[in-house]
Amino acid sequence: KMIRTAMEHVKKHPGLIPQFFFILLGMGGASLYLVRLAKGPHVTWNKKNNPEPWNQLDPTYQYKFVAIDTDYKNLKKEGPQF
């Protein structure tokens, strides 16, 4: 019913089409970003089999979305191996 009402408003006021488009685009982008965050290496979904997944990452793994001045290829692991 809500979609039908929105479509009726769009038919009466065609200037709403870009607004609906950009709202849907923003919601889709936010949803994809949340999925990306949920699949990241710092998130634990299974605590019994893999309680600390971040310890298994290679030091050269680029976990940030944008790394401006960090060269991950030349990093060395600092600290003990668990």
Side-chain angles (χ1 to χ4, degrees), residues 9-21:
H9 283 294
V10 166
K11 288 179 184 176
K12 291 179 185 176
H13 308 285
L16 293 175
I17 294 173
Q19 184 177 5
F20 282 127
F21 172 74

Side-chain angles (χ1 to χ4, degrees), residues 54-78:
W54 49 87
N55 285 334
Q56 297 175 356
L57 292 178
D58 189 42
T60 60
Y61 178 77
Q62 181 177 345
Y63 58 91
K64 291 189 174 184
F65 191 66
V66 176
I68 295 174
D69 54 349
T70 303
D71 187 17
Y72 284 90
K73 294 178 183 175
N74 297 328
L75 288 179
K76 304 261 191 270
K77 182 170 174 100
E78 297 175 8

